[in-house]
Amino acid sequence: MESLQYRLFSGIVSKLPIKLRLQILYYRKFKTFINYSNPQTFNEKIQLKKIHDRSEYLTLGADKLAAKAFVKEIAPELYIPKTLWVAKYIADFDMFPFDEMPDNYVLKANHTSQTIEFVRNGQHFSKQEMKVFAKRWFKKDQSGSLGEWSYQNIPPRVFAEEFLDFNGTAPDDYKLHIIDGKVEFIQLDQGRFGEHFRNIYDRDWNELDLTLVKQRHVPAPEKPPFIDKMIEIAERIGKYYDMVRVDLYFHNDQITFSELTMYPAAGFSMFPDDWDKTFGKRWILDYPTFSQKK
């Protein structure tokens, strides 16, 4: 749960004009300002995307429920975790179908991030417990303080989803960053709930000399046999965006959908400066209200 200090800060910042709001957050993180007239870095360009990109596909992809149908239509071979139940209102939890639920499942919100609860071994939350965190989730507005427009028009829902069992361990999480329809780099996260490793690769699975917050696994994990298919699927999805992150797993010998991310790390990734510029270089912004194209 967010701290009271964070909630107060977010509440104040969310009332400010978006350019000022993002400048405050950006300076707070990087001790430098966004170059709004000539953005160069990957992080800067994400901030411009928040302001200028109003594609309908942003809302579609950010909605964790709608995104399932969207990507399934583009890539029918993807495995999509099953949606087991959906709540539109807090009162819906009075009719939560405990008898129909498996022993293991996940509760999520579709309209924001960092809203997840796991149910394991039939140890269900009570209706009242679910109402408490669902009420908090329903109130979350990620389009506010962080300026993430894609979340603004998502009808909020809380839903139960199939639990994917990776033999009791955290799954390897493949985060494919696509720019202009092509995978620019791949972030592999391993052991997220224990000793967390993060390695970054280019499209050809060459490890990049880059440490991003978490330590790198040494030796670097070798190229998995399914990564080329992951890249092909991600690039099909990526054609609908100028930049998007496609998050995938490999579960039960199937490439499995996790989520789409419109603004990776909200544009506050702690890249070394040279990599921030390298990843930003190929992304040429081109929106009706702002363009870098000559």
Side-chain angles (χ1 to χ4, degrees):
M1 187 186 303
E2 298 124 342
S3 67
L4 176 60
Q5 182 183 25
Y6 176 83
R7 294 201 302 272
L8 289 172
F9 176 76
S10 297
I12 294 168
V13 169
S14 64
K15 306 300 183 186
L16 299 174
I18 188 166
K19 283 191 173 183
L20 176 59
R21 185 190 327 165
L22 296 179
Q23 284 288 27
I24 290 171
L25 294 172
Y26 200 84
Y27 186 83
R28 189 167 177 252
K29 187 73 172 184
F30 299 117
K31 299 300 182 283
T32 189
F33 291 109
I34 303 164
N35 184 343
Y36 279 128
S37 61
N38 188 26
Q40 298 296 308
T41 70
F42 187 70
N43 281 316
E44 281 184 315
K45 291 183 179 184
I46 290 175
Q47 308 309 326
L48 272 289
K49 181 178 179 70
K50 293 176 186 179
I51 297 168
H52 296 286
D53 191 355
R54 294 297 180 262
S55 167
E56 62 182 332
Y57 292 109
L58 291 178
T59 301
L60 185 60
D63 184 331
K64 289 181 175 60
L65 287 170
K68 292 185 181 189
F70 175 56
V71 300
K72 187 66 173 178
E73 186 172 341
I74 298 168
E77 66 270 42
L78 263 180
Y79 182 76
I80 311 293
K82 297 179 181 68
T83 300
L84 306 175
W85 181 80
V86 180
K88 186 176 181 181
Y89 305 107
I90 294 294
D92 292 340
F93 287 90
D94 289 326
M95 299 174 285
F96 189 81
F98 291 103
D99 293 341
E100 299 173 16
M101 287 291 120
D103 287 342
N104 302 306
Y105 57 95
V106 185
L107 292 163
K108 298 180 176 180
N110 72 317
H111 64 290
T112 186
S113 63
Q114 298 180 346
T115 47
I116 186 167
E117 293 285 353
F118 292 94
V119 173
R120 301 298 307 274
N121 304 316
Q123 299 297 307
H124 303 283
F125 292 100
S126 69
K127 292 177 182 179
Q128 185 56 37
E129 287 172 326
M130 288 189 286
K131 286 181 179 182
V132 168
F133 61 70
K135 184 177 181 180
R136 189 171 67 248
W137 291 357
F138 274 126
K139 288 181 178 178
K140 287 196 71 173
D141 177 12
Q142 203 155 324
S143 68
S145 62
L146 295 175
E148 296 183 314
W149 177 86
S150 65
Y151 293 100
Q152 185 170 296
N153 299 309
I154 298 175
R157 302 287 186 268
V158 173
F159 64 102
E161 184 178 81
E162 172 189 10
F163 175 80
L164 301 179
D165 189 359
F166 291 84
N167 297 317
T169 63
D172 289 351
D173 194 355
Y174 295 84
K175 300 177 182 293
L176 295 91
H177 296 70
I178 298 119
I179 296 174
D180 195 24
K182 184 176 180 179
V183 170
E184 182 72 11
F185 64 98
I186 303 167
Q187 175 181 321
L188 170 60
D189 283 275
Q190 297 179 300
R192 286 177 299 145
F193 304 127
E195 191 173 10
H196 189 165
F197 295 101
R198 177 174 293 153
N199 295 69
I200 312 292
Y201 299 85
D202 67 12
R203 191 180 185 279
D204 298 316
W205 204 254
N206 298 305
E207 190 192 14
L208 303 180
D209 186 17
L210 165 61
T211 299
L212 183 59
V213 182
K214 303 298 181 182
Q215 63 181 323
R216 292 152 66 180
H217 194 285
V218 179
E222 295 184 359
K223 181 179 180 178
F226 50 80
I227 194 65
D228 288 337
K229 184 62 177 177
M230 279 188 171
I231 289 171
E232 191 268 322
I233 289 172
E235 290 184 341
R236 259 189 277 158
I237 297 167
K239 292 185 185 300
Y240 291 83
Y241 302 92
D242 66 333
M243 187 283 300
V244 69
R245 196 184 80 200
V246 180
D247 295 359
L248 302 171
Y249 303 125
F250 192 73
H251 178 256
N252 285 348
D253 296 323
Q254 290 180 289
I255 296 175
T256 300
F257 179 64
S258 173
E259 64 181 4
L260 302 182
T261 301
M262 303 299 112
Y263 316 102
F268 301 113
S269 292
M270 297 300 291
F271 296 117
D273 286 347
D274 54 342
W275 284 108
D276 203 4
K277 291 174 182 175
T278 296
F279 294 143
K281 187 175 182 179
R282 205 173 66 79
W283 183 10
I284 308 301
L285 302 183
D286 187 25
Y287 308 124
T289 52
F290 181 87
S291 179
Q292 293 181 308
K293 290 191 174 180
K294 302 297 184 182

